[in-house]
Short mmCIF file of all heavy atoms in Angstrom, two decimals:
data_model
loop_
_atom_site.label_atom_id
_atom_site.label_comp_id
_atom_site.label_asym_id
_atom_site.label_seq_id
_atom_site.Cartn_x
_atom_site.Cartn_y
_atom_site.Cartn_z
N GLU A 3 -12.96 2.89 6.52
CA GLU A 3 -12.01 3.86 7.09
C GLU A 3 -11.54 4.79 5.88
O GLU A 3 -11.35 5.99 6.16
CB GLU A 3 -10.82 3.28 7.88
CG GLU A 3 -11.31 2.62 9.12
CD GLU A 3 -10.14 1.99 9.86
OE1 GLU A 3 -9.83 0.88 9.63
OE2 GLU A 3 -9.65 2.70 10.69
N VAL A 4 -11.32 4.25 4.77
CA VAL A 4 -10.90 4.98 3.53
C VAL A 4 -11.82 4.48 2.46
O VAL A 4 -11.87 3.32 2.12
CB VAL A 4 -9.41 4.71 3.18
CG1 VAL A 4 -9.10 5.53 1.92
CG2 VAL A 4 -8.60 5.13 4.31
N SER A 26 -12.08 8.47 7.48
CA SER A 26 -12.95 8.64 8.62
C SER A 26 -12.11 9.15 9.95
O SER A 26 -12.74 9.74 10.81
CB SER A 26 -13.69 7.37 9.03
OG SER A 26 -12.74 6.36 9.25
N ASP A 27 -10.81 8.89 9.93
CA ASP A 27 -9.97 9.22 11.06
C ASP A 27 -9.49 10.66 11.03
O ASP A 27 -8.63 10.96 10.27
CB ASP A 27 -8.81 8.19 11.23
CG ASP A 27 -7.99 8.37 12.43
OD1 ASP A 27 -8.22 9.36 13.22
OD2 ASP A 27 -7.02 7.66 12.61
N ARG A 28 -9.95 11.47 11.85
CA ARG A 28 -9.53 12.88 11.83
C ARG A 28 -8.17 13.06 12.24
O ARG A 28 -7.58 14.12 12.07
CB ARG A 28 -10.48 13.73 12.77
CG ARG A 28 -11.88 14.00 12.28
CD ARG A 28 -12.59 15.11 12.99
NE ARG A 28 -13.86 15.48 12.32
CZ ARG A 28 -13.87 16.36 11.30
NH1 ARG A 28 -12.84 16.99 10.95
NH2 ARG A 28 -15.00 16.61 10.73
N GLY A 29 -7.57 12.11 12.94
CA GLY A 29 -6.13 12.17 13.33
C GLY A 29 -5.16 11.79 12.19
O GLY A 29 -3.93 11.82 12.45
N SER A 30 -5.70 11.49 11.05
CA SER A 30 -4.83 11.13 9.91
C SER A 30 -3.92 12.28 9.59
O SER A 30 -4.28 13.45 9.61
CB SER A 30 -5.58 10.73 8.74
OG SER A 30 -6.49 9.64 9.00
N GLN A 31 -2.63 11.93 9.25
CA GLN A 31 -1.60 12.94 9.10
C GLN A 31 -0.95 12.91 7.70
O GLN A 31 -0.43 13.94 7.21
CB GLN A 31 -0.47 12.68 10.14
CG GLN A 31 -0.94 12.86 11.49
CD GLN A 31 -0.32 12.00 12.48
OE1 GLN A 31 0.11 10.86 12.16
NE2 GLN A 31 -0.17 12.37 13.77
N SER A 32 -0.87 11.78 7.01
CA SER A 32 -0.16 11.63 5.81
C SER A 32 -1.14 10.98 4.78
O SER A 32 -1.80 10.02 5.14
CB SER A 32 1.06 10.75 5.96
OG SER A 32 1.86 11.25 6.99
N PHE A 34 -1.47 9.46 0.74
CA PHE A 34 -0.69 9.09 -0.49
C PHE A 34 -1.60 8.56 -1.59
O PHE A 34 -2.66 7.99 -1.31
CB PHE A 34 0.34 7.96 -0.13
CG PHE A 34 1.18 8.31 1.08
CD1 PHE A 34 0.90 7.81 2.28
CD2 PHE A 34 2.33 9.11 0.95
CE1 PHE A 34 1.76 8.06 3.38
CE2 PHE A 34 3.12 9.53 1.97
CZ PHE A 34 2.82 8.97 3.22
N ALA A 90 -4.10 6.09 0.18
CA ALA A 90 -3.65 5.52 1.46
C ALA A 90 -3.56 6.66 2.46
O ALA A 90 -3.09 7.70 2.18
CB ALA A 90 -2.27 4.80 1.27
N VAL A 91 -3.94 6.28 3.68
CA VAL A 91 -4.02 7.30 4.76
C VAL A 91 -3.27 6.71 5.95
O VAL A 91 -3.50 5.54 6.32
CB VAL A 91 -5.45 7.60 5.06
CG1 VAL A 91 -5.59 8.49 6.28
CG2 VAL A 91 -6.19 8.22 3.84
N THR A 92 -2.49 7.48 6.61
CA THR A 92 -1.74 7.07 7.86
C THR A 92 -2.00 7.85 9.03
O THR A 92 -2.14 9.16 8.92
CB THR A 92 -0.27 6.98 7.59
OG1 THR A 92 0.31 8.28 7.40
CG2 THR A 92 0.09 6.20 6.33
N ASN A 93 -2.06 7.28 10.19
CA ASN A 93 -2.11 8.00 11.48
C ASN A 93 -1.05 7.26 12.30
O ASN A 93 -1.33 6.23 12.93
CB ASN A 93 -3.47 7.82 12.06
CG ASN A 93 -3.54 8.53 13.39
OD1 ASN A 93 -2.53 8.82 14.09
ND2 ASN A 93 -4.77 8.89 13.80
N TRP A 94 0.19 7.80 12.29
CA TRP A 94 1.25 7.13 12.99
C TRP A 94 1.07 7.03 14.42
O TRP A 94 1.48 6.07 15.14
CB TRP A 94 2.63 7.79 12.64
CG TRP A 94 3.02 7.58 11.24
CD1 TRP A 94 2.90 8.47 10.24
CD2 TRP A 94 3.46 6.42 10.68
NE1 TRP A 94 3.30 7.95 9.10
CE2 TRP A 94 3.63 6.72 9.24
CE3 TRP A 94 3.72 5.11 11.17
CZ2 TRP A 94 4.16 5.70 8.40
CZ3 TRP A 94 4.20 4.17 10.29
CH2 TRP A 94 4.43 4.44 8.88
N SER A 95 0.40 7.96 15.06
CA SER A 95 0.24 7.93 16.49
C SER A 95 -0.76 6.78 16.90
O SER A 95 -0.69 6.30 17.97
CB SER A 95 -0.30 9.23 17.06
OG SER A 95 -1.50 9.55 16.48
N ALA A 96 -1.54 6.44 16.02
CA ALA A 96 -2.48 5.32 16.26
C ALA A 96 -2.05 4.02 15.48
O ALA A 96 -2.80 3.03 15.53
CB ALA A 96 -3.89 5.70 15.78
N SER A 97 -0.80 4.09 14.90
CA SER A 97 -0.26 2.95 14.23
C SER A 97 -1.22 2.44 13.18
O SER A 97 -1.40 1.17 13.17
CB SER A 97 0.12 1.90 15.32
OG SER A 97 1.02 2.40 16.22
N LYS A 98 -1.71 3.26 12.30
CA LYS A 98 -2.68 2.78 11.34
C LYS A 98 -2.26 3.18 10.00
O LYS A 98 -1.91 4.34 9.77
CB LYS A 98 -4.11 3.34 11.60
CG LYS A 98 -4.68 2.79 12.88
CD LYS A 98 -5.95 3.47 13.27
CE LYS A 98 -7.07 3.11 12.32
NZ LYS A 98 -8.33 3.78 12.73
N ILE A 99 -2.17 2.27 9.12
CA ILE A 99 -1.95 2.49 7.74
C ILE A 99 -3.05 1.88 6.85
O ILE A 99 -3.06 0.67 6.83
CB ILE A 99 -0.54 1.95 7.24
CG1 ILE A 99 0.46 2.33 8.21
CG2 ILE A 99 -0.23 2.26 5.79
CD1 ILE A 99 1.87 1.56 8.02
N ILE A 100 -3.91 2.68 6.29
CA ILE A 100 -5.13 2.16 5.64
C ILE A 100 -5.16 2.57 4.16
O ILE A 100 -4.95 3.68 3.83
CB ILE A 100 -6.37 2.75 6.31
CG1 ILE A 100 -6.30 2.52 7.83
CG2 ILE A 100 -7.56 2.08 5.75
CD1 ILE A 100 -6.35 1.08 8.34
N PHE A 101 -5.50 1.59 3.41
CA PHE A 101 -5.61 1.79 1.92
C PHE A 101 -7.09 1.73 1.59
O PHE A 101 -7.84 0.88 2.20
CB PHE A 101 -4.94 0.68 1.13
CG PHE A 101 -3.46 0.91 0.84
CD1 PHE A 101 -2.57 0.55 1.88
CD2 PHE A 101 -2.99 1.46 -0.33
CE1 PHE A 101 -1.20 0.76 1.70
CE2 PHE A 101 -1.68 1.68 -0.55
CZ PHE A 101 -0.68 1.28 0.48
N TYR B 35 1.88 -6.56 3.46
CA TYR B 35 0.46 -6.34 3.15
C TYR B 35 -0.07 -7.53 2.45
O TYR B 35 0.69 -8.27 1.69
CB TYR B 35 0.30 -5.09 2.21
CG TYR B 35 0.64 -3.80 2.84
CD1 TYR B 35 1.95 -3.33 2.91
CD2 TYR B 35 -0.40 -2.96 3.32
CE1 TYR B 35 2.30 -2.15 3.43
CE2 TYR B 35 -0.07 -1.80 3.89
CZ TYR B 35 1.22 -1.33 3.99
OH TYR B 35 1.60 -0.14 4.53
N PHE B 45 -2.94 -4.01 5.63
CA PHE B 45 -1.70 -4.08 6.44
C PHE B 45 -1.67 -5.25 7.40
O PHE B 45 -2.61 -5.48 8.12
CB PHE B 45 -1.66 -2.78 7.30
CG PHE B 45 -0.58 -2.56 8.20
CD1 PHE B 45 0.73 -2.45 7.74
CD2 PHE B 45 -0.73 -2.67 9.57
CE1 PHE B 45 1.82 -2.28 8.60
CE2 PHE B 45 0.31 -2.52 10.45
CZ PHE B 45 1.59 -2.33 9.96
N GLN B 48 4.46 -4.51 10.69
CA GLN B 48 5.60 -3.73 10.31
C GLN B 48 6.76 -4.09 11.25
O GLN B 48 6.54 -4.23 12.48
CB GLN B 48 5.30 -2.26 10.42
CG GLN B 48 6.44 -1.33 10.06
CD GLN B 48 5.97 0.14 10.21
OE1 GLN B 48 5.90 0.64 11.28
NE2 GLN B 48 5.74 0.80 9.14
N GLN B 56 4.06 -2.65 14.60
CA GLN B 56 2.64 -2.46 14.41
C GLN B 56 2.06 -3.69 13.83
O GLN B 56 2.84 -4.43 13.13
CB GLN B 56 2.42 -1.26 13.42
CG GLN B 56 3.02 0.04 13.83
CD GLN B 56 2.83 1.04 12.71
OE1 GLN B 56 1.64 1.16 12.21
NE2 GLN B 56 3.74 1.95 12.40
N ARG B 57 0.84 -3.91 14.06
CA ARG B 57 0.22 -5.04 13.58
C ARG B 57 -1.23 -4.71 13.11
O ARG B 57 -1.96 -4.02 13.90
CB ARG B 57 0.13 -6.25 14.59
CG ARG B 57 -0.31 -7.60 14.04
CD ARG B 57 -0.28 -8.68 15.01
NE ARG B 57 -0.69 -9.93 14.31
CZ ARG B 57 0.21 -10.79 13.78
NH1 ARG B 57 1.48 -10.58 13.89
NH2 ARG B 57 -0.26 -11.96 13.33
N GLY B 58 -1.66 -5.32 11.98
CA GLY B 58 -3.04 -5.05 11.61
C GLY B 58 -3.92 -6.19 12.17
O GLY B 58 -3.48 -6.97 12.97
N GLN B 105 5.83 4.63 1.52
CA GLN B 105 6.30 3.31 1.36
C GLN B 105 6.54 2.91 -0.09
O GLN B 105 5.81 3.40 -1.00
CB GLN B 105 5.35 2.40 2.01
CG GLN B 105 5.10 2.75 3.50
CD GLN B 105 4.58 1.59 4.38
OE1 GLN B 105 4.01 0.70 3.72
NE2 GLN B 105 4.76 1.67 5.59
#
Side-chain angles (χ1 to χ4, degrees):
Chain A
E3 293 182 270
V4 178
S26 60
D27 183 358
R28 284 196 172 274
S30 299
Q31 298 145 331
S32 308
F34 307 104
V91 175
T92 68
N93 181 339
W94 289 105
S95 61
S97 300
K98 294 170 71 173
I99 308 169
I100 308 294
F101 278 82
Chain B
Y35 295 83
F45 176 69
Q48 182 181 74
Q56 305 178 40
R57 189 177 183 93
Q105 303 200 337

